[in-house]
Amino acid sequence: MRSIWNGAISFGLVSIPIKLVNATESHSISFRQVHLADGGRIRYRKVCEIDGEEVTAAEIGKAYEDADGSMIPISDEELGSLPLPTTKTIEIVAFVPATSIDPLQMDAAYYLSANGVPAAKPYTLLREALKRSRKVAVAKYALRGRERLGMLRVVDDVIAMHGLLWPDEIRSPEGVAPEVDVTVRDAELDLADALMDTLGEVDMDSLHDDYREAVEELIAAKAEGRTLEPAKAGAPGGKVIDLVAALEKSVREAKEARGEEPRPAEPEAGEERAEASMAEVTSLADRKKSGGTGARKKAAAPPKKAAAKKTKSTTSRAPAKKTASRSTVKKSTTAKTSERKATAKSGTKSAAKTATSSKRSSA
């Protein structure tokens, strides 16, 4: 890797010759400005505002614009004559715990490489001392014409340096936090903890820039004369949602994604959790329109209808039984009447026969 700065680390009375190498690189895709009519490149020209003439790099100098708009010229020689002890030195000023460095201060990252064989011994000494102490070194250095703050730490077997912003360059977060008082329940915190545990850890090397890959695919398709289908728009954000339902749904989806069997949601005591059991992220406005609790009351109505149908069915069968019993009684009465008539008729015939026999015997 090509070095961008050569100097030394000042470690007390020890001086370690080093080379500064960029530890990061940008993979973002850059575009050129073109003329839409013919595709020609659009370039910038440096023109003097006074005479309107284009000037070369050799004719361009530095100046500070004062509050009234006037320009105060500053030459490179004047800047070079200023006292800057860290021009070629990374001067370590303290060793502190890593937790004492606010990540907000983190800036560009560099690798420090030992410059030459004689530098190997003191370089290794500083590296091992940082490892054993579990601390980081705070240093001052100069790069590209200005003094900067840095932090040295060990990455594998290399000393890395992070550029740090000066403390007065960190803005106060005043006015950024929510201005309203919000109460977070323990149940909501428990769901948030469950979601954090379910998502677990991630292999940082597995993360990649999906948008950059999509741009590369678009460029390749355009170069080949192909047309890509437009991507589906994502769900709109910024809606007020049922937070508990959203957390529960997130936990279940995370478990399903990891192949775990999600446990059914347990409703809290004294609360109806129909929305949460359905795992739908519902806008509060939509819930008001749908009637909220009234919708649940309507949902409970069908069992009453079923009970009514059952009663009606029972009632409709009752007359049939009554009719059947009446028919049975009628048949029984008819049979008895017929039997009586037959008995009476038989009795009459018997009496007639007896009378006839008496007459014959008298004769």
Side-chain angles (χ1 to χ4, degrees), residues 125-144:
L125 173 63
L126 176 59
R127 183 191 67 197
E128 295 304 313
L130 287 171
K131 279 184 179 181
R132 191 168 72 171
S133 68
R134 297 183 180 179
K135 292 183 177 181
V136 297
V138 177
K140 294 169 69 177
Y141 66 102
L143 183 64
R144 299 187 180 97

Side-chain angles (χ1 to χ4, degrees), residues 83-87 89-94 100-108 138-151 161-172:
L84 189 59
T86 55
T87 303
T89 305
I90 298 174
E91 181 184 353
I92 295 177
V93 297
S100 65
I101 305 296
D102 192 334
L104 283 173
Q105 290 184 256
M106 296 290 187
D107 201 0
V138 177
K140 294 169 69 177
Y141 66 102
L143 183 64
R144 299 187 180 97
R146 56 176 290 231
E147 190 170 53
R148 303 166 189 261
L149 193 63
M151 179 191 75
M161 182 174 71
H162 295 268
L164 298 178
L165 299 174
W166 296 98
D168 61 358
E169 293 179 316
I170 304 298
R171 300 175 63 182
S172 170

Side-chain angles (χ1 to χ4, degrees), residues 286-303:
D286 293 341
R287 291 180 63 188
K288 289 179 180 178
K289 290 179 181 177
S290 63
T293 309
R296 290 193 290 270
K297 290 181 178 178
K298 290 181 180 178

Side-chain angles (χ1 to χ4, degrees), residues 216-228:
E216 291 173 348
E217 185 179 358
L218 173 63
I219 293 172
K222 296 277 285 185
E224 297 170 2
R226 295 184 289 110
T227 302
L228 293 180

